[in-house]
Amino acid sequence: MLFVRHASTPAMRGARFPSGEEPADPSSLEAAARLAASLGSADAGVAFVSPARAAWETAVAMGFAPVVVAALAEQDHGRWRGRPYEEVAVAEPESFARWLADPGAAPHGGESRTGAAARVARWLDGLRESGGEYAGRSGGKGRVVAVCDVGVIRAALGHALGADPTPFDLAPLSLTQVSAAREGWRIGYVNRKAAS
């Protein structure tokens, strides 16, 4: 399974909680097309994508036919959606500190990191258990591609490691490989940048 963090967005540059509605930066989509060429992804079939607009746009730029999977959605940040991190930290310091310290906290009225991680883990385990069905939907080439944002990839890595969602910093359009192993998952690489 190849995870691709979707192209950069204005919210990423503005250090805002993602809303899922922001478009990808045009220059980042051009880089996504180059990334696809370097991976040999032309006519690669479908890619599973989060419901975020930028994920859809990234998959299309890479030449994939996107299939939206709700389980790949970034954590729901409730009333903090789209707001700058700094603004929330100043307006709600105790809630923000609790959210940072406790993966099970959801003071924003949305989803906790633990809840989002469990959702991603269920999807990954379902992918593993029905490998034939998913492999067929991925174009029959044996590689399943998921285009999503950082929280989902962190959750997948945490699941593979048997730990809480990991705090890896992942660049836009970076590649992370997680493969099904005999018992569990194996991490191939994290945050790899393809040669352009």
Side-chain angles (χ1 to χ4, degrees), residues 11 16-23 52-53 74-75 77 80-83 149:
R16 295 175 172 269
F17 284 97
S19 72
E21 299 163 4
E22 56 270 357
R53 177 178 173 180
E74 190 69 352
Q75 176 188 356
H77 292 100
W80 295 352
R81 287 180 55 167
R83 293 176 62 189
D149 205 354

Side-chain angles (χ1 to χ4, degrees), residues 15-38:
R16 295 175 172 269
F17 284 97
S19 72
E21 299 163 4
E22 56 270 357
D25 293 322
S27 61
S28 196
L29 291 176
E30 290 172 12
R34 291 191 302 275
L35 170 65
S38 74

Side-chain angles (χ1 to χ4, degrees), residues 1-4 46-49 62 64 123 138 143-147:
M1 151 125 298
L2 182 66
F3 284 97
V4 179
V46 305
F48 297 112
V49 301
M62 293 182 72
F64 289 106
W123 182 76
S138 67
R143 177 168 62 182
V144 177
V145 175
V147 181

Side-chain angles (χ1 to χ4, degrees), residues 36 41-45 58-65:
S41 298
D43 302 318
T58 302
V60 169
M62 293 182 72
F64 289 106

